Amino acid sequence: MEKKEIRKKVLDIRNRIPAEIRRQKSMEITDRVCKMSCFLRASSILIYRNFRSEVETGMLIEAGWEMGKEVFCPRVEGKEMEFYRVKIWEDFESGAYGIREPKAECPVFESQSDDKVLIVLPGAVFDKKRHRIGYRRRILRPVSGTASPNANSCCLF
Protein backbone atom coordinates (compact mmCIF):
# COMPACT_ATOMS: atom_id res chain seq x y z
CA MET A 1 0.00 0.00 0.00
CA GLU A 2 1.32 3.49 -0.92
CA LYS A 3 1.98 6.10 1.78
CA LYS A 4 -0.88 8.25 0.44
CA GLU A 5 -3.31 5.35 0.68
CA ILE A 6 -2.22 4.47 4.21
CA ARG A 7 -2.56 8.10 5.30
CA LYS A 8 -6.01 8.40 3.71
CA LYS A 9 -7.17 5.20 5.44
CA VAL A 10 -5.89 6.31 8.86
CA LEU A 11 -7.41 9.80 8.49
CA ASP A 12 -10.75 8.31 7.41
CA ILE A 13 -10.76 6.25 10.61
CA ARG A 14 -9.75 9.26 12.74
CA ASN A 15 -12.37 11.46 11.07
CA ARG A 16 -15.11 9.01 12.08
CA ILE A 17 -14.32 9.28 15.80
CA PRO A 18 -17.33 10.97 17.46
CA ALA A 19 -16.63 14.45 18.86
CA GLU A 20 -17.35 13.39 22.47
CA ILE A 21 -14.85 10.51 22.26
CA ARG A 22 -12.25 12.76 20.57
CA ARG A 23 -12.70 15.28 23.39
CA GLN A 24 -12.29 12.55 26.05
CA LYS A 25 -9.18 11.15 24.33
CA SER A 26 -7.77 14.67 24.00
CA MET A 27 -8.24 15.15 27.76
CA GLU A 28 -6.41 11.86 28.41
CA ILE A 29 -3.58 12.85 26.06
CA THR A 30 -3.32 16.26 27.75
CA ASP A 31 -3.07 14.58 31.14
CA ARG A 32 -0.31 12.26 29.91
CA VAL A 33 1.70 15.01 28.22
CA CYS A 34 1.46 17.24 31.32
CA LYS A 35 3.11 14.46 33.35
CA MET A 36 5.97 13.92 30.89
CA SER A 37 9.36 15.12 32.10
CA CYS A 38 9.97 16.99 28.83
CA PHE A 39 6.77 19.00 29.45
CA LEU A 40 7.54 19.62 33.11
CA ARG A 41 11.10 20.81 32.33
CA ALA A 42 10.15 22.96 29.33
CA SER A 43 10.23 26.72 29.71
CA SER A 44 8.76 27.21 26.22
CA ILE A 45 6.20 25.17 24.29
CA LEU A 46 5.76 25.41 20.53
CA ILE A 47 2.37 23.89 19.81
CA TYR A 48 -0.11 23.72 16.95
CA ARG A 49 -3.78 24.65 17.09
CA ASN A 50 -5.86 21.63 16.18
CA PHE A 51 -7.55 21.38 12.80
CA ARG A 52 -10.36 19.07 11.71
CA SER A 53 -10.11 15.80 13.65
CA GLU A 54 -6.68 16.38 15.22
CA VAL A 55 -6.13 16.04 18.95
CA GLU A 56 -7.58 19.10 20.67
CA THR A 57 -4.68 21.20 21.94
CA GLY A 58 -6.53 23.96 23.79
CA MET A 59 -6.29 22.14 27.13
CA LEU A 60 -2.54 21.66 26.70
CA ILE A 61 -2.10 25.34 25.82
CA GLU A 62 -4.02 26.30 28.97
CA ALA A 63 -1.96 23.88 31.08
CA GLY A 64 1.20 25.55 29.77
CA TRP A 65 -0.13 28.98 30.71
CA GLU A 66 -1.18 27.78 34.17
CA MET A 67 2.30 26.34 34.76
CA GLY A 68 3.99 29.62 33.78
CA LYS A 69 5.41 28.36 30.47
CA GLU A 70 5.83 30.54 27.41
CA VAL A 71 3.44 29.19 24.77
CA PHE A 72 4.02 29.78 21.05
CA CYS A 73 1.70 28.87 18.18
CA PRO A 74 2.27 29.04 14.44
CA ARG A 75 1.11 31.83 12.17
CA VAL A 76 1.21 31.34 8.40
CA GLU A 77 1.73 34.23 6.02
CA GLY A 78 1.97 33.11 2.41
CA LYS A 79 4.40 30.20 2.39
CA GLU A 80 6.16 31.30 5.55
CA MET A 81 5.39 30.22 9.09
CA GLU A 82 6.65 31.63 12.37
CA PHE A 83 5.77 30.83 15.98
CA TYR A 84 4.36 33.68 18.08
CA ARG A 85 3.91 33.91 21.83
CA VAL A 86 0.34 33.76 23.06
CA LYS A 87 -0.65 34.58 26.63
CA ILE A 88 -4.45 34.56 26.41
CA TRP A 89 -7.13 33.32 24.01
CA GLU A 90 -7.68 36.89 22.80
CA ASP A 91 -4.18 36.76 21.26
CA PHE A 92 -5.65 34.59 18.47
CA GLU A 93 -7.50 35.48 15.28
CA SER A 94 -8.81 33.49 12.33
CA GLY A 95 -6.00 32.56 9.95
CA ALA A 96 -5.19 30.22 7.10
CA TYR A 97 -7.88 27.54 6.51
CA GLY A 98 -9.89 29.03 9.40
CA ILE A 99 -7.30 27.86 11.94
CA ARG A 100 -6.93 30.20 14.92
CA GLU A 101 -3.48 31.84 14.74
CA PRO A 102 -1.63 34.35 16.89
CA LYS A 103 -2.12 37.98 15.94
CA ALA A 104 0.78 39.53 14.03
CA GLU A 105 1.59 41.86 16.93
CA CYS A 106 2.40 38.94 19.28
CA PRO A 107 6.14 38.42 19.95
CA VAL A 108 7.96 36.01 17.60
CA PHE A 109 9.72 32.97 19.08
CA GLU A 110 13.45 33.45 19.43
CA SER A 111 15.25 30.58 21.08
CA GLN A 112 17.97 31.18 23.60
CA SER A 113 20.75 28.62 23.96
CA ASP A 114 19.62 27.70 27.47
CA ASP A 115 15.90 27.39 26.60
CA LYS A 116 14.21 24.10 27.37
CA VAL A 117 11.76 23.84 24.47
CA LEU A 118 9.02 21.31 23.86
CA ILE A 119 7.68 21.13 20.31
CA VAL A 120 4.23 19.57 19.96
CA LEU A 121 3.36 18.55 16.40
CA PRO A 122 0.32 16.94 14.82
CA GLY A 123 0.76 13.54 13.23
CA ALA A 124 -1.44 10.77 11.89
CA VAL A 125 0.86 8.31 10.15
CA PHE A 126 4.50 7.48 10.84
CA ASP A 127 7.04 5.31 9.05
CA LYS A 128 9.22 2.67 10.72
CA LYS A 129 11.81 5.33 11.59
CA ARG A 130 9.12 7.39 13.37
CA HIS A 131 9.07 10.08 10.67
CA ARG A 132 5.75 11.76 10.05
CA ILE A 133 3.94 11.21 6.80
CA GLY A 134 1.75 14.25 6.39
CA TYR A 135 0.42 17.35 4.74
CA ARG A 136 2.16 19.83 7.05
CA ARG A 137 5.80 19.29 6.15
CA ARG A 138 6.46 23.02 6.29
CA ILE A 139 5.87 23.02 10.05
CA LEU A 140 9.18 21.23 10.58
CA ARG A 141 11.40 23.68 8.69
CA PRO A 142 10.88 26.75 10.88
CA VAL A 143 10.81 24.64 14.03
CA SER A 144 14.05 22.81 13.28
CA GLY A 145 15.80 26.08 12.46
CA THR A 146 14.75 28.00 15.57
CA ALA A 147 14.69 25.48 18.39
CA SER A 148 17.53 25.26 20.84
CA PRO A 149 19.75 22.21 21.28
CA ASN A 150 17.64 21.55 24.39
CA ALA A 151 14.45 21.02 22.35
CA ASN A 152 12.30 17.93 22.68
CA SER A 153 9.38 17.05 20.47
CA CYS A 154 6.28 14.92 20.66
CA CYS A 155 3.58 14.20 18.10
CA LEU A 156 -0.10 13.95 18.89
CA PHE A 157 -2.32 11.91 16.59
Side-chain angles (χ1 to χ4, degrees):
M1 194 181 288
E2 296 269 337
K3 288 181 180 181
K4 259 186 175 174
E5 293 170 346
I6 294 169
R7 180 171 168 71
K8 182 181 179 337
K9 185 176 182 176
V10 169
L11 289 177
D12 285 346
I13 292 168
R14 188 180 78 183
N15 290 339
R16 287 194 304 267
I17 297 171
E20 62 193 42
I21 292 174
R22 182 177 302 113
R23 178 103 174 127
Q24 179 60 39
K25 295 296 181 186
S26 294
M27 290 170 61
E28 292 171 17
I29 290 167
T30 297
D31 187 55
R32 282 185 178 176
V33 171
C34 286
K35 292 176 182 172
M36 294 171 66
S37 61
C38 59
F39 182 85
L40 295 170
R41 287 192 317 262
S43 55
S44 299
I45 300 171
L46 280 62
I47 185 170
Y48 70 97
R49 290 294 308 265
N50 55 287
F51 183 59
R52 296 186 182 141
S53 62
E54 293 173 337
V55 171
E56 296 175 22
T57 57
M59 295 171 281
L60 198 49
I61 290 169
E62 286 186 0
W65 289 335
E66 290 170 9
M67 295 176 77
K69 298 175 185 306
E70 294 187 352
V71 178
F72 297 84
C73 291
R75 177 180 174 83
V76 176
E77 294 195 24
K79 292 187 177 185
E80 299 298 317
M81 184 178 68
E82 295 278 348
F83 281 77
Y84 291 77
R85 184 170 184 196
V86 289
K87 296 180 180 182
I88 55 174
W89 291 117
E90 287 75 18
D91 286 342
F92 290 97
E93 63 187 8
S94 186
Y97 307 102
I99 300 171
R100 304 290 292 168
E101 297 180 335
K103 294 178 181 175
E105 61 265 19
C106 293
V108 176
F109 175 75
E110 293 182 34
S111 180
Q112 305 299 318
S113 61
D114 60 343
D115 276 354
K116 301 247 186 305
V117 180
L118 175 63
I119 304 165
V120 182
L121 302 170
V125 182
F126 301 85
D127 65 18
K128 291 180 182 180
K129 294 181 181 178
R130 297 183 180 173
H131 297 135
R132 293 178 340 132
I133 300 171
Y135 59 89
R136 289 199 189 161
R137 289 181 177 218
R138 71 176 170 205
I139 199 169
L140 296 178
R141 282 196 301 270
V143 170
S144 62
T146 59
S148 76
N150 297 321
N152 288 294
S153 63
C154 69
C155 287
L156 307 181
F157 55 98

